[in-house]
Amino acid sequence: MPCASAHSLPFLLLAALVAGPACADETFDAVAQARRQCAANAPPLRSQPQLDDAAARLARGSSLETALQASGYRAQRSFEWRLSGYPSAQAVTGMLVRGHCDTLRDPALTDLGVRHSGSSYWIVLAAPFVPPPQADAGSVAARVLALVNQARAQPRRCGDRSFAAAAPLVLDATLTRAAAVHAGSMARGGYLEHEGRDGSSPSQRATRAGYDWRTLGENIAMGQTTPDLVMRDWLKSAEHCANIMEPAFTQMGVAFAVNTSSEGGIYWAQEFGRPR
């Protein structure tokens, strides 16, 4: 049975209390059904109350960014649908299957919030921001190193520069300490720059950490929640890719720091060096 609509304010409030949950369930099921039709093996969707709140804010005219911030939900990425003129939840399912399977197939998009009124629907689908725990710093660094050495094992073009395959790097504890200092500073300050808030340069931070270097380089990033994502983005950037492929480097350190109230949420620093 379709959810009831109303014409007077008192009845609207009553409908929200009595029929609202059923409406939400009906709309949730419509999106979940569309996902199953688009990708039978995709992970199931989860009803997320904060995203329900965000969808309600969309219905009141908020932008998606404003709605997510106000609801307190941090998304790695998110999508919205604002639909009107759909007579049933089944009609919404059909529309999503016909035109939005590419989005619904994304396995990272697992959280769903909905709002429904009459023939209008507001839907928010999001990938939650789930950074690695600091206790996993060692395994995260090992994964980054493996991906770096995988990249260095074959010739690569970084922007307008071509690099031959290079020897693998090894993790260095001192460079990792220098990386941790800068990642932590960026997370606390909510900035993404090579210059530290104390005015320090990458070479100064490495020296302070006790690294006696002959040559040095640094990559930084923010927002990526896995080693694979941050390496993907570094390799897409000509300058960062060049650091990864630089044959003069023999050692690497990498660290991340999390501040969920900052713009980036998670900050990465990757130090490259060759000792004297």
Side-chain angles (χ1 to χ4, degrees):
M1 179 181 296
C3 300
S5 61
H7 301 286
S8 67
L9 181 58
F11 188 74
L12 267 175
L13 293 174
L14 180 61
L17 290 172
V18 175
C23 291
D25 290 345
E26 186 176 280
T27 307
F28 179 93
D29 289 344
V31 181
Q33 181 180 347
R35 184 178 178 93
R36 288 191 296 269
Q37 291 184 30
C38 291
N41 295 326
L45 296 175
R46 301 178 300 208
S47 179
Q48 169 53 255
Q50 289 173 301
L51 291 185
D52 287 337
D53 180 71
R57 294 174 187 276
L58 294 185
R60 297 195 293 270
S62 289
S63 68
L64 179 58
E65 180 180 3
T66 300
L68 290 173
Q69 289 176 347
S71 71
Y73 182 92
R74 184 169 194 115
Q76 181 71 11
R77 61 184 183 280
S78 56
F79 293 85
E80 63 169 299
W81 289 277
R82 302 177 191 233
L83 311 175
S84 61
Y86 285 83
S88 67
Q90 290 77 14
V92 171
T93 298
M95 182 280 301
L96 292 173
V97 170
R98 288 191 299 273
H100 300 275
C101 272
D102 284 349
T103 298
L104 290 167
R105 288 190 191 103
D106 188 337
L109 298 170
T110 57
D111 287 1
L112 178 65
V114 297
R115 183 75 167 184
H116 170 226
S117 177
S119 63
S120 296
Y121 297 80
W122 296 266
I123 301 167
V124 180
L125 185 60
F129 176 75
V130 185
Q134 198 62 49
D136 290 350
S139 61
V140 168
R143 176 60 179 166
V144 173
L145 178 68
L147 293 170
V148 165
N149 287 336
Q150 179 180 312
R152 288 169 67 91
Q154 56 189 343
R156 186 173 300 272
R157 189 167 183 85
C158 301
D160 59 359
R161 297 179 63 188
S162 293
F163 289 85
L169 304 181
V170 296
L171 278 176
D172 178 79
T174 306
L175 285 177
T176 296
R177 286 197 299 272
V181 167
H182 194 47
S185 174
M186 290 190 294
R188 290 189 298 274
Y191 68 95
L192 184 71
E193 298 173 14
H194 290 288
E195 182 177 319
R197 278 294 183 256
D198 60 357
S200 62
S201 66
S203 59
Q204 288 172 326
R205 290 189 293 271
T207 299
R208 289 176 188 171
Y211 190 76
D212 187 15
W213 54 273
R214 180 181 301 174
T215 184
L216 199 79
E218 177 179 82
N219 285 346
I220 55 176
M222 70 178 187
Q224 302 86 353
T225 54
T226 68
D228 294 66
L229 288 175
V230 74
M231 275 296 298
R232 179 201 66 185
D233 289 349
W234 278 332
L235 286 172
K236 285 181 178 179
S237 162
E239 295 81 3
H240 297 86
C241 174
N243 271 344
I244 291 169
M245 296 301 297
E246 174 55 57
F249 295 141
T250 60
Q251 298 177 328
M252 187 198 85
V254 65
F256 66 89
V258 176
N259 178 0
T260 56
S261 64
S262 65
E263 178 184 356
I266 181 172
Y267 295 78
W268 298 81
Q270 183 182 40
E271 312 299 331
F272 300 94
R274 183 185 190 96
R276 291 186 188 277

